[in-house]
Structures are given as C-alpha cells and as structure tokens.
Amino acid sequence: MIQIKTKQTGKKYWRSLDQLAQTPAFMEWLHREFPSSAEEVIDGASRRNVLKLMAASFGLAGLTACRRPVEHILPNVKGVEDYIPGKPYFYATAMVHNGVAQGLLAEVNDGRPTKIEGNPEHPFSLGAANVFQQAAILGLYDPDRARSPRQDGKDVDWKVLDDALKTLSGSLGQGDGLRFLSESVTSPSFAAVQAAALAKFPKAKWIQYDAISQDEVRAGSQLAFGQQLVVRPRFDKAKVILALDSDFLGLDADTVLSVKEFSRGRKVAAETDEMSRLYVVESRFSTTGATADHRIKMRASEIKAFVSDLAAALKVGGNELKVVGQGDKKSKWIEAVAKDLGANRGKGLVVAGPRQPAAVHAMVHLINQALGNAGETVTYYKSTLEQTRPQLEAIAELAGELSKGQVSTLVILGGNPAYSAPVDLDLAANIKKVATSIYVGLDVDETAVACKWSIAEAHFLESWGDALAPDGTATIQQPMIAPLYYGRTQAEIVAALTGYKDQRPYDIVRNYWTAKFAKGDADKLWRHALHDGVIPNTTFAEVKPVVDAKKVNGAIQPAAQSASGMELVFTPNWATWDGRFANNGWLQEIPEPMSKITWDNAALVSPATAKQLGLSTHGWMVKGYKATDTEGHSDPTQAGNFVDMIQIEVDGRTLEAPVFVQPGQADGSITLALGYGRTECGHVAKGAGVNAYKLRTSKAPWIVADAKVSKIAKQYQIVQTQEHGTMEDRPLLRESTLAEYRKEPNVIKEMLEVPELVGLYGDWDYSKGNQWGMTIDLNACVGCNACTIACQAENNIPIVGKDQVNRGREMHWIRMDRYFVGDEEEPQAVMSPVPCMQCETAPCENVCPVAATTHSPEGLNDMAYNRCVGTRYCSNNCPYKVRRFNFLAWNYGTPEVEMMKFNPDVTVRMRGVMEKCTYCVQRIQETKIQAKLEGHRPIKDGEIQTACQQTCPADAIVFGNINDPNSGVSKLKKQKRNYGMLEELNTKPRTTYLAKLRNTNEELEAKHG
Amino acid sequence: MADLAVRNDPHVRPRLVEGDPSLHQVTEAVSSIIETRTPYSWWIAIAITASIAGVLKLCLGWLVYNGIGVWGNNQPIAWAWDITNFVFWIGIGHAGTLISAILFLFRQKWRTSINRFAEAMTLFAVACAGIFPLFHTGRPWRAYWLFPVPNTDLYMWPNFRSPLVWDVFAVSTYATVSALFWYVGLVPDLATIRDRAKTKGRKIAYGVLSLGWRGSARHWRNYEMAYLVLAGISTPLVLSVHSVVSFDFAASLLPGWHTTIFPPYFVAGAIFSGFAMVVTLMVVARWVFKVEHLVTMKHLENMNKIMLATGTVVGYAYASEFFIAWYSGNPYEKFTFLNRAFGPYWWAYTLMVSCNVISPQFFWFKKLRTSIPFMFVISLVVNVGMWFERFVIIGTSLHRDFMPSAWGYYHPTIIDMLTFFGTFGLFLTLFLLFLRFLPMIAVSEVKGMMATQKMHDAHLEAVAQAVEH
Amino acid sequence: MALIFPKTIDQYVRIGGALVAVMALGGIGAYVYFSHPLVADTGYSPVQPVPYSHKLHAGTLGIDCYYCHNTVFKAAHAAIPATETCMNCHVRVKPQSARLEKVRNSYATGEPIPWIQIHKLPDYVYFNHSAHINAGVSCVSCHGRIDQMMEVKQVKPLNMGFCLDCHRNPAPNLRPVEFVTKLGWQPDRDPEEMGREIIAAKHINPPTNCSGCHR
Amino acid sequence: MHTNTPELRDKTIYGVVAEFDQPSKLVAAGRVVHHEHGYTKLDAISPFPVHGIDDAIGVPRSILGYIIFCCGSIGFISVASLIYWAGGISYKLVIGGKPLFAWEPSIPPIFEGTILFSAFAAVFGMFAINKLPQFYHPVFNYERFGVATDDRYLLVVEASDPKFDIVDTQRLLESLGAKHTEVVEA
C-alpha cells in the first residue's frame, strides 16, 4: 500500500519536474537568466561549476512574482485514499550504521522524503538521530549515484543484467569457486537468503568484512567469556565512567543511545543533583575527551599497560604487577581513578574502544565483573547473527584464493572493499583475476570499476529490508520512494542469483516475518511493525557470563613497548565515516568537531611532536592579538591555514599527508582518519583529503607501533570553520566545577559584572501570548554536529564548497563553537552550538534599511528573505555573527534530482540575501494553525520542536514558551546555571545557555584541570 | 617706489592674483583654455581614463551577474573595500563644498580661484562614491527600496532608524545641492563664454546653458542672495554628510565602531583628504593650463595649512580612541584597538598613522609648505593614508569582534582591486571633460575680488603718497 | 553683437516647458495606474485544456466547492481534483461528450490533465487555506464569484497590500464557517458587526509580522 | 531729428545703453541719473556684482529669503510626517524593541530634507524671480554687448521711462563719462 502510494506520487513529482523543465517558459527563462546557459555561474574554484546548471522549478517560481510564465498543476489521476497534497507524512524505517540498526522516521512531502528524524518508539533512537542519519537524505538524491547496471564499465539495460544473472545462476553447480563478500549481515531476512544460498551451493563461501570492524571487541569477549557476546554499557546508570581510548560519545558510538544515556547522568537541575564523573584516557582528542571531567592523553599502544596497571591498583584477579616505568602523574591518576571506581562498586563502568586489542577488552570485562558492575552498568547479550570468524582472517584468505585464481565467481555486496580492504591484500588487482565479478553498490566506486559487473543498489530509503539494533530489537526498513534509478537491494540480487523462494524484496522481508508472527493476526502485526518501526519481543537473550580471569591475566602481560617509533592510529571520521559518505556535501562541509577542519583529513600531531618533527606549528592556544604565542606557535588566521606536509611510511608503503597540530593529542602519536582520498567517486568527494587505507595493512589495522615520519617540502591549505581556539577570557561559554557550583550557585552569573542595563526607550511588552525561547545545556552537549546537519536539512541550507569555506562563507545557521581551556599540556575543551539568539532588542533589526528583519509579537527575530536587499549591515551589527549571506547563487547549480531534497515549507534563498536561524518558524506556524483548527486550543509544551532540538542526542537544546512558567524551557531558565551570552550588550537574547559543570575529583583537581 | 613700500608692508596681504592682469586678461586666460583647439594630449589622456572607467563598468557587470562573492567580502568581514571606497570618495568630495561654502561665509577671498575646481571635484567624487552603496547590495535591482518610494504593492517603507537610510538622504541631498551650487556659480561664466563664442554651435550650446544670463543688477541682487543662502545651508550640510556617514559605524555596537568621537573625526578626515586631492589635481592643472598667476602659491599654501591642521586633528582622534578604549575599561574595546595596532593588520594601521599624522607635520616648515613637488608628494601620501584609515576602521573592527569563534581575515580579489582602480578612471574622465568644456576658474568671482582689491590698492597708494610728503 | 536667439524664442521655450511638464505628469500617472496591483495582477484568464465551466457546475448545478477542492478545510493547499473526481459523475453524465475527451483519456492512460494555474502566489509566500477557511474567510474574498465564471479569471490582486488590508481588519471578510463556500451569501445584518462577533468568538488575531507568511 | 513721441518709443526703441570702463564710474553715473535726474527705469549690466549699484539705480531688496524659509519649513514638516506616518501609522513593525516613532533617529533625515527643499527654493526661486531662462532680451541688441560679460559696465535707460528722451538721455550719459552710447531697439 505505502509502496504503491509513494511510487505513484513520487513518480508524479518526478514527471512534473521533467515537464516543467521542457516548458518553453522555462527554457526562455533559463536563457534570459543565464545567457551562457549551463556553465560558470559561480567562480571557477567552486565545486559546483562542474555540475550543470538546471535550476528548474524553484528559480522559476521565484520569478513568477514579476513575470508570468504558464505553470501547470498536475493532479493525481486516481485519488489516493486519505492522502492530502502538500501535507507531510512520517514513516518508520531504520538505517544500519557501524553494524547495527537505529530506528528512524522519514518525513515525506508529496512522495519525496525530505527529512530524517529519530524514531521516538525505537529503544536506540528515542527520537534522536546522528549526522550520518540526518545526511542520508542528501545521499539518496546524490546525482552521482550509480544509475544502471554496468558491464565492463558500460551502462547496460536491466534486462541484460537479469538474463546474465539467470544464465550465471544456472552455471554455478555446487558453487565451487563461488564467493560472496559482504559487510556484516545485520538483516535477519537477508541472513535467511544467505543461509539458503550456502545450502544450495555447499562449496560456496560467504565472507563478511567491515572496514571499521569489531574484530577486537568480538575477540575480547571470546577471550574473556569463551563466547561472543554483545556488550551493552548503560551510561545512565554509571556514576563513575572510565573510557579507555573509547570515543563512545562520538565516532565509537554505534547509535545515539550512548549519548542519550550519558547525558541523562549529566543533567543537573538543582544544586543538590548528582552527576556522573567521566575519566578519559586516549591518544586523539575526541569529543568524549572534551566532555570528560578528567582526561589524560596517552599513546593508544600504552593503553594496554595502563589497563593492566589499573587492574593491579584495583587488585583485580591474580594480577600483581607493580606499576613500573610510569610517570608520577600517570600513577597518581591511576590511583585516583582506581579509588573512585573502587568506591563506586556496581555504579562504575569501564569501556574500551574498538581499536584496542582483545586483551584490553578482556581485562575491561574482568574489571567490570570484579567491581560488580557487570549486570548493573553493563549487560551482555547473545547475538543471533554472530560472526565466529575474524573478518581480517577471512578476507585475507579470500585475497589468497583470488590471487591463486581459485575463484570463478565473486559477488561483492556493498562496502567498497577494493578501496577499504587492507592494502597488503591488494584486492583491487586480485578482483580483476576473477572470471565473473559482480558488485552491488550505491556508487560507481573503486570496487565497481574493478568488477566486470556493477549493479546500482537501492538506497535504504528506497528499499524493503530489516535490521537489528544492538540488543536485537528488529525494525522493518520500508521504502519512502520508489527506487529513483530502479536500483536493486543486495538480498534481491542474491535471491535472483541463487533462486531464493521469494524474489521481490517486499516478499523476502514480509514472508520472513509473517512466518514468525502468530498465524492469525500476522497481517495486523505486520502493519503494527511498519507503523511503530519496532517489532516487539525480538531482543536477544540477556546472559550473565563469567570472566576467565586466568586467561585474561595471561593475555594482558604487556609486550615489550616499542616506544621508539612514531605511533600511527587510524580512525573513522565524522564526514565520510569509512569513505562511504564521501560524496555527501553536507557531511563533507560539517567541521570535524575538535579540529574544525572541513573537506579534508589531516595527520593530527601534538605541538611537542610537531616541534620534534620540525613542523610549523599552529597554536590553537594562541591568545590575544599577537601573531604568535610564547611557544612560537603562529595564529592560524595569520598563517593563512597553510600547513606543512609529512611523509608517513609503514613497512615500505608511503603516504604524503598534511599535518594539523592538535592540542591534547598524545605526544609521539599520529592520528589519521580513514575514508578520504577517494579516486573513483562523485564530484563532491574528488580531491578531498588523503587516503589512509594506503598505509593500513592486515597486520596493523588500527595501531601502527612504529611508523617512519619525515617532513617534506610541501605545504597544503586546510580549511576550517573556526580558526581561533581560545575564548580570550571572555565569559562566552561559561563553565565551573560541580563542587564550586554547590558551594556558590551564583558563581556562573558572577563571572560577569555588568552595571544595570537601561535602554534609551522603554522595553517592548512581551508578557502576553506565546513567547518563544530556548536553552542550550553546555553540560549535556557533546559537540556531535547533529543539530547543524538537522538544521541544514530542515532549512534548505546550501553547501558552498571548500574554496568558499576558506573564504569564510559557510552557511550553517547553527554553528558548533569549540574553545580550548586549561593548559596546553592537558587541555580541555568546551563546545556549544550557537544559533541566532533571537534578541529582544536585536541589533540587526535597527540597522536594516529596508526593514527586512523585524520582530514578531512572539519574540522571533523574523527574516523576510524576499525583502532583503543584501547590505549585510545586520551581519556586521550582530555580536554573535550568526547571520549568513548568499554571496553567490548557491542554489542555481542544484541538479534536478538533488532539488527533491528541498523542504517545501522553507523558501530557497536566492543570491544576494541574508539568512539566519528562525527557530524553525515554519514548524511554529504549522503547529499554531493546527491548534487553531482544533478549536483554538493552547499549544502544548514540547509540541513544537526545532529541528536541532528534535535530533539532539543529548537533549541539550530545549525550546518552548517562556511565558508559561511550567514549560520545560522556563524551568531551565530559572536555574542558577542559566546565563545569556554577551548579555552585557543588553541584547536580551531569547536563547540562553546553561553553564557547563565538570564533576572533578579533588585528588586530581590539585594537580591539573 | 610707493608700490614697493606697499609690497613690503607686512600689514598688506600678498596679492591673490599675480602680475596684476586686466580683467580682460583674466577672461582670456580662463576662456582661452576651452576655446583653443583640443590638444592631442587631452585626447590621449581621456582615452586612457575612459578605458579605465571601462574596467569599472566590466567589474560592476561581473559583480551584478555573479553576486558579491566575486569580491573578497565574507563572514565576519561583510563590509570591506566596498564601503571603504565609499567613505574614501565621499571624504574627498568634502573639500569642494567646504571651500565654496564655509570659506565664502568666512569671507576668505582666496577661495575664488579654486572653488570652481574644487566643486567640480566634489561632484565627481560623490559620483564615484555613489557607486558603492548601490553595488555593495546583494540585489542592486532592489536598492530603490532604500528610498521612501510610495508603493501600492507591498505597503512597505524604509526603516528610518537605519543609518543606511540616513546615508541615502544625506548623500543624495549632498549630491543635489552641490550640483545646484556648482551650476549657479557657472551661469555668469557660461554667459561670458557664450558672448565670446565664434561658432554657431558654441553660441547655442553656451547660450542655452547660461539661460540668457545678462548680468543685470537685478539679477545680481537675487543671485548673491541665493548664493549666500546656498553657502549658508551647504555649511551644515557638508558637516552633516560625513557625520551621517560616520553614524554607519558609530550607531552600531561593534567595538571600534561604537564611538562618539566619530562625527568630528570623520569630518576632519574628510576635509583632510579633500584638500589633499585638490592640491594633487590643482598642482597639475595650474601648470598644464598656465594659470599660475590666478592660482598662486598663496592658495596652495593656505590649503597645505588646512591639511596640517586637519591632519593633526585626525591624529588627535586616533590617540583619543586609544585613550578611551583603555579608560572605558571595556575589554572588547581594549582588545580591538590593541588588535588594530599590533594584530594581523598592524601594517595597515602603521601605514595609516605615518601617512595621515606624521607626513603633514612637515608643513610646519614654510619651505616645504611652499615647495610644489613636496606638497604634491605629501598630498598623494595623504590620499593613500586616508583610504587606509577607512579600511582600518572597517576591516580591523569587523575581523575580530566579540566571538573569537567567528574571527576571520580578509583577502581582496582582483575584482575588488579593479573596481576601486576603475573609479579613478571615472573620476578623471569626468574631470577632463570639465576642464575641456567649462571654465575651470570662477571668472566673475575673480573679477569681483580683483575689483575690490584694486579699490583697496588705490586707497593704499593715496596713503603712501601722503606719507611721502 | 548678433543675436543668438530670435525674439520669439522665449514663448516657444515656455510652451515646450509646459508640454514636458504635462508629459512627465502623464507618464507618472500612467506608471502608477498600470503598475497598480488592481490593474497589473488581475484579469489573468488562460484557456484551460478542458473547457470546464465553474458557472455551470458550481453555479447552475450548485455543486459545493468542497466537493472537488476537498482539502481546503484540512490543508494548506486547495487540491485540484483528480480526474477520478470528474469521472465519478461523467461515467453516467454525458459519457460521450467530445469536450470530455481529454478527461476520459487521462482517466484511461493515467496521464494527468495539465490544468493551468491561475491564482499564483510567489514561492516565498506561505498561504494556508485551512487557516483562513476555518476562520470564516469565504472563497469569494480572494477568488471572486467563481460560480459566475465560465472561465476562471483572477479578479483580486492578491498582492501583499491586499493580504494586509484583511489581516489588519478581518471583520468585513468573515462569516460563519458553514457559509464560506456559499459565494453569493449575504448576512441578514451588518457584516462588520457580525465579523466583530466572530473575531471575539474565535480570538481571531491575524499576523501582520513577516514570518506570518514568509519563511 | 527724433522727437519724443510715445508711439515711436513703444514700437521700436527699448532704450539707451551707455558703456563704462570702471565700476566706480558706473555707480557714479547711475547715482546721478537716478537720484539727480529722477530716472526710474534703469538697469546696470556688469560682469560681476558691482557694490553700491543697487541703491545707486534703486534696485529693490530681494525677497528670495522668505521663499527659501517657507520651502525649508515645508521640507522639515513633510519629512517628519513621512517618517511618523510610515513607521507609526502605515505599517507598525517592531524593530529592535524600539518605539514606532522616536525623534532621535529621525533627526538626520528631517535635517537633510529641510536642506534639500531650501536649496531647491534658493536656486529655482532665484531663476524664477530673475525670469530665467530668458533667451531674448533687448539689451542683447547692443552692438558691443559681449564686453558686458568681460570687463565693461553698461547702464541701461529704458525708453519706457517717462523722462526718457533719445537725445537728452544719450547726451546726459555721455556727459557722465560713458565710453560709448547706443540706442537699442526693443
């Protein structure tokens, strides 16, 4: 039913756009507006001039005010049951990320999915979504997606493919020489197809490989428990948390739940409230480290020693190792943490990052068990989809077979292994040796090029499927729109190849589940499953395993440290993850939370290491107007962001990479993000970053103990959205410690002394009706950028490209500020989103000569784009610098298909006008009208959610009516932590902040922040 | 003999017209400039300047076609060269009205030889200035919304609280009034040219332009009244214009902009730069057109004195800004000014101070004050310095304001540079046309001045003879 | 000195000046008239692909607007009816009529009928039918007497001023909701007064700030 | 031998023009002709305003000042009311929490408006009073009129003057040191 609906309307829209594009009116307009038609609307450097100019309906509609081209209305031919044109519908679905599924809701406007939200019903979303999920919309409409099957690099008709598959499946026999290479299978129905395939072809093999694999985690649990278990930490229950090289609030979080739960433990309403404490030990300065109450930097390879010392300090198991060769600071640290954990038995929690070796994970399990945390703050599940075989081992074997020519048919299902597999396996070359190689993928990527056949895959928003959350909760993945390019799902292809009983993806999924449901009301249950986005009672069985302390203690014996060489650590990244999102402009342009770099990756090194390597150092701690700090670090603004480049060598293989000096980075350790430097990719990804996979071998997939590094005579311009790292002692983002706050709750307000602020005229009366306001809780915010992307999707915010970001023209309405605090040795960071403050006495309004920005009776700082003439005076006079100007025609370049992403409730701004956050006024208006229709009822608190608030995994952003004393936002504004940024200017901001509190341990407090 | 006595008498001002020419000779000297055959040099000069003006046209076309993005402006530096150039040109446009209005009210006779020239310069400078407020908007075709145009469609009006709207009023008024003032002054001289005209074409052209002026006593009566009033209202006008321009900054809340000293400071700066430009052009013109006896060293020296005075006022303003920044105890202010002087734009600031405050100090010395080449160089230096003053005020205040997270830096594009360069083409083209077709010196006023001087002399001679006996 | 201009010149100059002045005024007057929304924005009446007569259906036959434009009470958009809606009747009524050919084809082939849009607001204006209809603003206020039009024609300027007039003083355009689609309906008493009562009853307070319509 | 008959005067002759080479002589002559001989229809033409000529030949005071004042006041009122109406009546928009109308921000536009109106009044008022443009005037018929915009000074006695007599008037003027006199026709 739904599929039919979306198909129909989807196609309708599609068709109408085509027609519009051919109308003489449009053609005439196109030529009138762009005499040079297609090429060069924007200056050469922009990434957009390569996309051809097809600004169809939006630009056209914008002009109908003055000219009147004939415009057609194309109604449905057959009425669609309870479907109202122009009204958005929400459907539940799920997105698989990092091997697990998270439930989502997709907003569909006239058959076009336009916005992703978290599914409140889903236990691992609770209404929130992360950057990758938010940006999926743009991925769906990516004009560079594979559009048809390709045979030997040439597009062919689907018919040709189907015939080829038929003949091939006939010729497979017992399936010797038949190999399947997929990513981790997370879909039960697909697993069924897989099982059927392997049953039909007993000689065939199925290899699962993820570039960002959980091998070590699995091995760890195998080592500790003798079985593979899913570990489920419960950060909301823990009072003391120790994260060992684990960015569980950032890149190592598989769903948003970890942030949700953690932030619950950090919310402080009254001064008396309890608050969890977070210790972080890590090599890279992650957002988790920035959130930590105490953090020390440490080379990733020393964590193993650290954890065994910690175990020793905790007297865990038989391990009686003495703390040796440890700096005084570190041992103090260990003692303090051990004491704290010991004091909080059953309320503590230790977690380790997936990069750490199995032994570390095992020891973590041991510690958690010894401290009685197991079962309390961490629970274990037995997965139904477990992978007994280490992925690296499996793919290595496959590579061997390939090179020996033992494989006749290779079916690769997504994942782009030719790009992301360990470099020493040389997969790209080996694939070419196979007689029949088939690739199913979204893009024409490195693997697609290597294979004989490549098949356009259906995007998850286009296809039927299902997937499991970390705890096994199953979700049906339903399509929001018919496949734009008739793409196929992986299951569909395998089913076709292996003659599975069901061929259509819909049948594959539905029949699998209805078979599981109780016979009678299978249909009803199925409908419920679709509606809720959750299938009840599908969670894995919880188990209470026992750790084999002996084995663990045996494994943990630290090998001789090779502290000599430079350590190289690989991580996924915030923009492209493992490279799969490389062509997604929203993600490419989102700044990396700590370094604020966009459109690139860089080798992160500590200032000390940089000096040691003789590299020019950008001092992100440089203070004041000076060009350099005492250390001689130059201020990046003045260095023009040109950085040195180094050559990194890992057993014979070399890579040239730009260096970025990151305070808080462990000395002697380089962090390099995977997923950049794509070669076979779309326009957006071209030239973005360097390919770290070139150094990643199956021997050392995460941590290279001794990489050779040398400076080379090259420079590279990296681009950031924020170039100055320090707050200049200005009380912008305020923080204190929990202890101090309890002693003197007014400490936050007292950070600023202002004389009584009086205006020249009386204040305007905002005491009646709805008065919108917002609070942002710095204590909860982990700087994950989800709000920025959500805003970008909701408000049709354009992408500007690396060159334009470099010119300081990024368009994000809600930007993420990051300031370093504390000493340069062990810096801390505070982060916060900065949207428009909706000042009651808005400085921007006074100076606008044409009254394009004015105040609404409900306290909004309205911005009428169609009135703006673009003097930019408002931006100059905005102390928060949150206004964004369309310096060039960002939207004229948008290809037709990409325009389907636009939110119809928000104007697509033209060149030359100013724009800014409006508290999602379109949502406010919709709700107000709805309330009117329902008999002028008052609007309920929380009924209106801004896009940023809705998606925030930390619930840091709260929006509502400040006139209603019982609304969430008014309650928060009553807190002592509440303050207005730059309130001394008497701008009366409606958006206020709740100061950050660090729950410090006084034992460590004395030593350092 | 007696003549000598008079000349050496310290109480007697040196003559404003040298060589004691007859009125007819004055008429000749000025009129002949535009009556003789057009020299090739003029054609060459205008060919060059016109093509530079063409560059301006191209740049503006490219700008309107693509958007402000072709300039270097960004967030946070949303205003950069555009408004800098605007203030720069407007400032230059101040000397003219000042000379014709204020010096007139102060009965400064020496103004007569240079006021026409300076007024023309004013007009052309304002024309160049006017380009930028219009084209710095993102949608210039909507710029008319800044004017209070009655509209039946939107029911919308400009926001009269905005200094930009004040600008619109001030600058348009200033342009109009200056043009009127200039034309009124021209009418009698146009009549003179008319009556000297040989060819029919010139007769008709100047005949029409001079509106049939015939120098009747009744005309002169009203004429002088009108001129007096124009001078009277132009004086507050000229002061208000640059005050209003300074409000663009003073009325904002940006540290480094939000300063009460701005209006006087800007006016002084404007006069400063205006006179510098007059000197630059005058030194060349009087030499080229052989009117040294009408535009004498006395004139130039007086202008240099004014430059010295205003330059020092500007220097005082710079100093007091710093003092207030420190004295106010406002950390943002304090930072902004330290950042101005020692931050990334230290070079611009240093340039500004040395050009505007230090260089004019040489004019304390009469020798330098009266040296043509020296004053020419200084006047150029001052023009450079004043451009940088505006850039420093705009650029350095914007690039690092309240939130360090939003700090930035500004790099001009080639379009930025060519646009500014092009405005000089426009300015000089208009100027060459003026020199070619209109009397560059207010003949009738000079004559009037000479006549009174003659009476004065006659009187002195009498005195001198009395003494001899 | 030989005269430049003849004796008579000045009277010609005066006449010429007078003419120029008159023409200037005339020009301004013409501009104001032709650019006035009432003139510029009204009267658009394109030929529709199907010669559908609102006069016949809505007027003579008295079909309620809501029968075809069935989303006005629920949604921002007033839906253009699906071909199916036409066929509901026309399978029986005039099933063979030549003028209905396009409709039948559309129904058969699934190709929509390309109706031409007449009442068009700029895309930066967000008008919501349900909000207005439910408040008691009749269709007639913006669309005129559609029920008397053979071919639909834009009769109201629909410019910003037009919207503002009503948003500032909605009373004259309000009526009980049950009559909003009765285009010819006249209240039995002073409409102003009735309007004020409705405003009081429904707390109607139309926005006049920018974000009321522009987002 | 002309005789001073009205017909003749009205039809053909505008008056007598006398040319002087010194402003002082012009003034002196004017004073004699006006004050001693009681001629009233006089005009003086000079390349620049000659001081004292006004009382010498009895030119009335200029009324321009009053005109300018009135127009200036109109400018003041109209701009002030425009601002008040636009912000306070026509479209009440809340801007920066400021009142709908306040004097402080309105001063600059009002001031400029006043100036603009006054300037227009001064210039066009002056032209109007002087009846300019006027491309034909009898004095242009004076043979050597060109000198009047160069370095000579003309005293004109109009034929419409009751005391006018071609012969006597011409003689009188010559006796006052006119370098040249001439009868110009209307």
Side-chain angles (χ1 to χ4, degrees), chain A residues 688-757:
Chain A
V690 296
N691 182 0
Y693 285 110
K694 288 189 174 158
L695 296 178
R696 194 188 191 205
T697 62
S698 47
K699 276 209 306 308
W702 290 116
I703 302 165
V704 181
D706 44 8
K708 288 168 200 53
V709 179
S710 56
K711 178 183 179 182
I712 57 174
K714 284 190 194 164
Q715 288 228 316
Y716 186 87
Q717 187 167 38
I718 52 138
V719 164
Q720 298 166 279
T721 57
Q722 177 182 348
E723 290 165 336
H724 199 80
T726 51
M727 221 180 309
E728 299 296 334
D729 306 326
R730 299 173 178 185
L732 301 172
L733 306 184
R734 305 182 189 177
E735 73 170 289
S736 178
T737 66
L738 183 62
E740 198 172 350
Y741 180 62
R742 283 181 175 155
K743 246 195 279 100
E744 180 39 79
N746 288 324
V747 62
I748 304 300
K749 298 231 184 282
E750 285 159 3
M751 287 180 180
L752 179 77
E753 295 158 16
V754 261
E756 195 211 347
L757 299 165

Side-chain angles (χ1 to χ4, degrees), chain C residues 193-210:
Chain C
E193 176 197 342
M194 184 190 63
R196 277 193 295 279
E197 282 167 21
I198 296 173
I199 290 173
K202 294 186 168 180
H203 329 286
I204 288 172
N205 176 21
T208 54
N209 62 299
C210 309

Side-chain angles (χ1 to χ4, degrees), chain A residues 730 809 817 847 872-873 911, chain B residues 64 71 78 162 248 402 405:
Chain A
R730 299 173 178 185
R809 296 170 181 173
D817 280 6
V847 298
R872 306 186 294 292
Y873 198 177
R911 171 261 282 192
Chain B
V64 173
W71 284 345
S162 167
D248 286 350
F402 294 98
S405 59

Side-chain angles (χ1 to χ4, degrees), chain D residues 16-67:
Chain D
V16 174
V17 174
E19 178 180 320
F20 299 87
D21 58 1
Q22 291 289 333
S24 43
K25 290 189 186 146
L26 175 74
V27 175
R31 183 166 290 112
V32 174
V33 174
H34 179 53
H35 292 282
E36 294 177 18
H37 293 76
Y39 282 83
T40 49
K41 295 238 182 309
L42 298 171
D43 194 1
I45 295 179
S46 55
F48 55 84
V50 174
H51 289 284
I53 190 69
D54 309 324
D55 356 336
I57 63 169
V59 178
R61 257 192 123 284
S62 171
I63 56 155
L64 192 55
Y66 305 103
I67 300 174

Side-chain angles (χ1 to χ4, degrees), chain A residues 910-984:
Chain A
M910 83 177 292
R911 171 261 282 192
V913 305
M914 190 63 70
E915 57 186 68
K916 63 173 264 300
C917 157
T918 59
Y919 276 168
C920 289
V921 66
Q922 65 279 11
R923 293 182 172 204
I924 296 176
Q925 295 293 3
E926 286 307 317
T927 318
K928 277 172 65 184
I929 290 168
Q930 200 51 42
K932 278 210 195 80
L933 301 194
E934 295 164 17
H936 297 264
R937 63 168 174 78
I939 292 165
K940 298 189 280 305
D941 184 36
E943 190 177 355
I944 304 173
Q945 283 190 312
T946 63
C948 50
Q949 168 191 22
Q950 182 169 15
T951 206
C952 178
D955 301 309
I957 303 175
V958 178
F959 169 85
N961 178 3
I962 58 173
N963 256 7
D964 165 10
N966 304 322
S967 68
V969 66
S970 338
K971 290 212 188 78
L972 288 167
K973 280 180 187 284
K974 284 193 200 74
Q975 278 193 33
K976 293 272 200 313
R977 286 195 296 145
N978 179 61
Y979 72 96
M981 198 189 278
L982 294 174
E983 61 196 338
E984 64 269 32

Side-chain angles (χ1 to χ4, degrees), chain B residues 255-307:
Chain B
W257 281 14
H258 183 61
T259 322
T260 45
I261 196 179
F262 264 24
Y265 161 24
F266 267 52
V267 171
I271 297 165
F272 185 44
S273 60
F275 272 90
M277 187 56 97
V278 180
V279 170
T280 315
L281 298 170
M282 206 42 146
V283 163
V284 179
R286 72 193 280 274
W287 169 70
V288 170
F289 298 107
K290 312 269 172 305
V291 287
E292 285 96 340
H293 60 301
L294 298 180
V295 184
T296 64
M297 181 55 71
K298 165 80 175 162
H299 298 107
L300 299 174
E301 187 180 352
N302 283 356
M303 291 197 278
N304 293 343
K305 284 179 183 166
I306 291 185
M307 276 163 70

